[in-house]
Amino acid sequence: MTLDYDERYFHGNPQNSFHKAVNIPDVIVYPRSQDDVQKIIKTCNKFKIPIVPYGGATSIEGHTLAPYGGVCIDLSLMKKIKALHVRDMDVVVEPGIGWIELNEYLKPYGLFFPLDPGPGATIGGMCATRCSGSLAVRYGTMRENVINLQVVLGNGDVIKTGSRARKSAAGYDLARLMIGSEGTLGVITEVTLRLQKLPQHSVVAMCNFKTIKDAADVAIATMLSGIQVSRVELLDEVQMKAINVANGKNLPEVPTLMFEFIGTEAYAREQTQLVQKIVSEHNGSDFTFVEDPDAKMELWKIRKEALWACFAMAPGFEAMTTDVCVPLSRLAECISKSKQLLDASTLLCTVIAHAGDGNFHALVLFDPSDEDQRQEAERLNHFIVHTALSMEGTCTGEHGVGTGKMKYLEQELGIGSLRTMKRIKSALDPNNIMNPGKLIPPHVCI
Amino acid sequence: MTLDYDERYFHGNPQNSFHKAVNIPDVIVYPRSQDDVQKIIKTCNKFKIPIVPYGGATSIEGHTLAPYGGVCIDLSLMKKIKALHVRDMDVVVEPGIGWIELNEYLKPYGLFFPLDPGPGATIGGMCATRCSGSLAVRYGTMRENVINLQVVLGNGDVIKTGSRARKSAAGYDLARLMIGSEGTLGVITEVTLRLQKLPQHSVVAMCNFKTIKDAADVAIATMLSGIQVSRVELLDEVQMKAINVANGKNLPEVPTLMFEFIGTEAYAREQTQLVQKIVSEHNGSDFTFVEDPDAKMELWKIRKEALWACFAMAPGFEAMTTDVCVPLSRLAECISKSKQLLDASTLLCTVIAHAGDGNFHALVLFDPSDEDQRQEAERLNHFIVHTALSMEGTCTGEHGVGTGKMKYLEQELGIGSLRTMKRIKSALDPNNIMNPGKLIPPHVCI
């Protein structure tokens, strides 16, 4: 543990200037085992001291802020791989391990864990925020890829949520309750993950459209055709321009779709051809695909580094990243409505969508030293959320609630649902020590 | 509503003689809307009257028993399809609709709902019991296929669990908490389901093995290869004999695997060939496959009617169906250990496994009028559950807890998890009116 100011300041401050840190934790502890975690929580519970669980701290909705000070539990020392079961295609890990590190370990076994959030994210944090990413369209989110959790609850109880069987109907689904609970119910101390076979072959394809609507229509038609893409990502013309600037490329600066198809060689190619046909039926052009590993990696690198490409266009700026998700049929309309406002704004804004899931991010760039720009970014975010909510969508597809999205939950879910969440929290964390001030809006009473 | 004795007797009695009905409901009500359900629950909550939600009543673990009498809420009049969104691939239904009826409705749209429990099961009941079936290996269980629920909780609150977006990170996963809660938290009044495209093509294959181990090894090798079967079902030699007797067939009476492959014609065939190769590497024989629709239907009919085939060998008997699920690598061992006991028993026992998930059922046939036979069936069930629990498995892969599996939960999950479940139940149903006596063992205190 440490009381060092710099460490506490580092842990208590968000990456983003739009989540204000009104306080920092009083102490940082680095448990090495579930027992350590339990001792810390029991002590904090006895003295009603707030706890903030801390993983890779890559979340962007203020999840790791410490508005009431207290104890920050940094899980970076708990990163062991406890057991790999190749024939069961599962792995048991401690929460502090990163997904990239885990996949490096799994590679020689021909297996991988199919979620790809930002680099630095840890498995525990990914559980806590119900993370997903570009592969969710094929493999699902964290919800679908966790077999079992061990958790120390706010009341000090240690629970395991299930067995190691791939499916079970044995009681309440406590694993799913913990996944997405953002550290407000307990600290995840062990995770059993379902693994996937590394695909034999993959094809990466790209194509261009005159309008966002055409691009979104192709994503819908692809899903409706029964083709199993592993990725289908939409980038708008501004994002393509940023990519050109950052990478010295000369790609067409128009709405663009990027696909990945996986499976056997024959199957990946068959799917590529089927999608090529769909693209041509929807005014798409320049359909190209690559199979060479280096060429594929270069294309995905472009997509993965989209955020950094934006910063190349606006050095020193910050990005506010929106995260709405709507029913597929409303995606084009939601993006178009949002873009009308974004294009009219003085701020530079790009759009990237996980189009197969109906989830899109607007990256709104602003100068963090300019309060007007920050407010304008918030106005845009606010508008996009309300647009999505009016279309039966959600304010957060994958980034979580934290402090940033609390204010939208009542409109999205209704007060009855929020009261239910608060009742559950009170039942498992009666002293409200677990990550207080996050997820459940403060006005909700039970 | 009705006070008619015959109706009450019918609703209060299990299909199986091994779940004793110590009571029957005092009244049966047939709500027509969520408002009706809310009024009933509010009234019952006020006067602390037990409620038993009642769907298709096809569950076999005593879920619909009324040990404390009270009000049985029969949802058979709430079976409307409220909205079909073809481009979103989702449908909004009332809970009383059957999955077979729903699929008939969806067929002209080229869509289907990919879970296939016993005929008669309703969507609400399937949610409540976290149902799955033979297609779960490809499409997941009810957990993975529900987008949103509306529920009237035991305290009278109406909640919706989410938006209509395909993924969301907005707060606690209340839908997953309700799925598998077996009516102990509330009554599900509306369900939004994720749909799938009807496959273009399918191939059904069958092959034989000398031992259960060889058959299970093929199932594991198939999963490890990355091949996406849509079904992989294992039937033991006794089950094959029952099928021969019931259907006048002459199939080899040895451990048998049945596969289904779906997708484009080329892909389904490619997968068939890949599995044929795996089968030949594991001492399998007689690999045959069919593509003709009638031939495929006949093969699946054999599998689907396996239970009835057993009754043909023992007319007038009842079946006790076990339901354990273990990590894939332990499936062969678990079945073999179980079969040693089953084969030594005086009772006729067959085995059917959803082998890709590690889930198997032993069908133990007994004469319901013979108490010794009933006790012997229970002894076998008990042994199989303990064998599975010793292998990191679960006492129920898909049938649920009801009253039948309560006694195994503490060993499987630990007292901390059960206390947590009870705390959640108390928070949402403070008067314990919702399906009392089910799921949470009576000795659990908070």
Side-chain angles (χ1 to χ4, degrees), chain B residues 31-283:
Chain B
R32 289 174 186 274
S33 68
Q34 186 176 76
D35 271 2
D36 286 354
V37 174
Q38 192 182 21
K39 277 180 203 153
I40 296 162
I41 293 185
K42 278 189 163 175
T43 306
C44 288
N45 194 35
K46 191 171 167 190
F47 297 103
K48 300 187 182 168
I49 296 165
I51 288 172
V52 181
Y54 192 95
T58 56
S59 62
I60 55 175
E61 293 295 350
H63 294 89
T64 56
L65 294 177
Y68 305 102
V71 175
C72 173
I73 303 187
D74 183 320
L75 294 147
S76 56
L77 299 185
M78 286 179 66
K79 55 188 300 181
K80 278 197 287 292
I81 294 168
K82 297 174 91 171
L84 171 65
H85 306 104
V86 172
R87 280 165 62 87
D88 298 320
M89 296 173 77
D90 72 45
V91 68
V92 185
V93 301
E94 289 185 331
I97 190 168
W99 66 275
I100 292 177
E101 208 176 333
L102 175 63
N103 277 336
E104 277 164 12
Y105 171 83
L106 294 171
K107 203 171 177 184
Y109 301 95
L111 297 170
F112 79 117
F113 181 67
L115 276 87
D116 60 346
T122 61
I123 295 297
M126 289 160 71
C127 289
T129 54
R130 202 184 301 136
C131 138
S132 52
S134 67
L135 286 162
V137 66
R138 169 65 179 253
Y139 297 106
T141 71
M142 215 62 192
R143 174 189 284 164
E144 285 79 23
N145 290 285
V146 169
I147 294 174
N148 184 26
L149 293 177
Q150 292 198 22
V151 184
V152 184
L153 298 176
N155 59 20
D157 277 0
V158 176
I159 63 167
K160 73 166 197 167
T161 60
S163 68
R164 205 159 59 73
R166 290 166 83 89
K167 69 178 196 188
S168 172
Y172 299 167
D173 194 345
L174 297 181
R176 261 33 68 175
L177 179 63
M178 295 301 153
I179 293 168
S181 66
E182 304 186 354
T184 63
L185 298 175
V187 173
I188 294 165
T189 50
E190 188 185 288
V191 185
T192 305
L193 296 169
R194 194 167 170 159
L195 303 175
Q196 300 289 337
K197 172 81 178 166
L198 277 170
Q200 261 181 51
H201 191 76
S202 71
V203 177
V204 175
M206 212 165 171
C207 55
N208 304 319
F209 297 88
K210 287 204 179 105
T211 66
I212 288 276
K213 186 175 181 313
D214 287 333
D217 280 347
V218 165
I220 294 173
T222 302
M223 299 299 286
L224 269 175
S225 72
I227 293 168
Q228 273 196 304
V229 290
S230 61
R231 287 176 165 125
V232 47
E233 300 278 297
L234 188 160
L235 304 95
D236 79 343
E237 66 282 3
V238 192
Q239 183 62 56
M240 292 309 293
K241 187 176 177 182
I243 286 169
N244 281 338
V245 170
N247 299 279
K249 294 267 175 189
N250 197 22
L251 297 164
E253 293 174 2
V254 292
T256 299
L257 278 182
M258 291 179 71
F259 292 94
E260 187 184 63
F261 308 100
I262 58 172
T264 58
E265 198 170 314
Y267 184 54
R269 283 186 187 156
E270 187 189 25
Q271 290 178 103
T272 308
Q273 283 160 10
L274 290 170
V275 169
Q276 182 164 19
K277 192 159 167 287
I278 293 172
V279 168
S280 68
E281 288 163 2
H282 287 81
N283 309 314

Side-chain angles (χ1 to χ4, degrees), chain A residues 35-246:
Chain A
D35 272 1
D36 286 355
V37 174
Q38 192 182 19
K39 276 178 203 153
I40 296 161
I41 293 185
K42 278 190 163 175
T43 306
C44 288
N45 193 36
K46 190 171 167 188
F47 297 104
K48 300 188 182 167
I49 297 165
I51 288 173
V52 181
Y54 192 94
T58 57
S59 62
I60 56 176
E61 293 295 350
H63 294 90
T64 56
L65 295 178
Y68 304 102
V71 175
C72 172
I73 303 186
D74 183 320
L75 293 146
S76 56
L77 299 185
M78 286 178 67
K79 56 188 298 183
K80 278 198 286 292
I81 294 169
K82 297 175 91 170
L84 170 65
H85 306 104
V86 172
R87 280 165 61 87
D88 298 319
M89 295 172 78
D90 72 45
V91 69
V92 185
V93 300
E94 289 185 331
I97 191 168
W99 67 274
I100 293 177
E101 209 176 334
L102 176 63
N103 277 336
E104 277 163 12
Y105 171 83
L106 294 171
K107 202 171 177 185
Y109 301 95
L111 296 170
F112 78 118
F113 181 67
L115 277 88
D116 60 347
T122 61
I123 295 297
M126 289 159 71
C127 289
T129 55
R130 202 182 301 136
C131 138
S132 52
S134 66
L135 286 162
V137 67
R138 167 68 178 250
Y139 296 105
T141 71
M142 215 61 193
R143 174 190 285 165
E144 285 80 23
N145 290 285
V146 170
I147 293 175
N148 184 25
L149 293 177
Q150 292 198 22
V151 184
V152 184
L153 298 176
N155 58 20
D157 277 0
V158 175
I159 63 168
K160 72 166 198 166
T161 60
S163 69
R164 205 160 58 72
R166 289 165 85 90
K167 68 178 198 189
S168 172
Y172 299 167
D173 194 345
L174 297 180
R176 261 32 70 174
L177 179 63
M178 295 300 152
I179 293 167
S181 65
E182 304 185 355
T184 63
L185 298 175
V187 173
I188 294 165
T189 49
E190 187 187 288
V191 185
T192 305
L193 296 170
R194 195 167 169 159
L195 303 175
Q196 300 289 337
K197 173 81 177 167
L198 277 170
Q200 262 181 51
H201 191 78
S202 71
V203 176
V204 175
M206 214 164 168
C207 54
N208 304 317
F209 297 88
K210 288 204 180 104
T211 67
I212 287 277
K213 187 176 178 313
D214 287 334
D217 280 346
V218 165
I220 294 173
T222 302
M223 300 299 287
L224 268 175
S225 72
I227 292 168
Q228 274 196 304
V229 290
S230 61
R231 286 175 164 124
V232 47
E233 300 277 299
L234 189 160
L235 303 95
D236 80 344
E237 66 282 3
V238 193
Q239 183 61 57
M240 293 310 293
K241 187 174 176 184
I243 285 168
N244 281 338
V245 170

Side-chain angles (χ1 to χ4, degrees), chain A residues 8 34 48 75 85 111 132 149 194 199 206 219 222 254 271 322 347 373 396 401 415:
Chain A
R8 294 191 293 123
Q34 186 176 76
K48 300 188 182 167
L75 293 146
H85 306 104
L111 296 170
S132 52
L149 293 177
R194 195 167 169 159
M206 214 164 168
T222 302
V254 293
Q271 290 178 104
T322 73
L347 299 182
Q373 287 199 14
T396 172
V401 179
I415 190 71

Side-chain angles (χ1 to χ4, degrees), chain A residues 281-321:
Chain A
E281 287 163 2
H282 287 81
N283 310 314
S285 61
D286 308 316
F287 187 93
T288 54
F289 64 92
V290 293
E291 295 182 281
D292 170 69
D294 290 342
K296 284 188 289 198
M297 200 179 297
E298 178 159 347
L299 276 187
W300 277 121
K301 199 167 157 276
I302 284 175
R303 164 62 192 88
K304 271 285 175 195
E305 294 177 359
L307 178 60
W308 313 116
C310 292
F311 292 141
M313 285 176 79
F317 274 40
E318 248 185 56
M320 181 176 285
T321 308

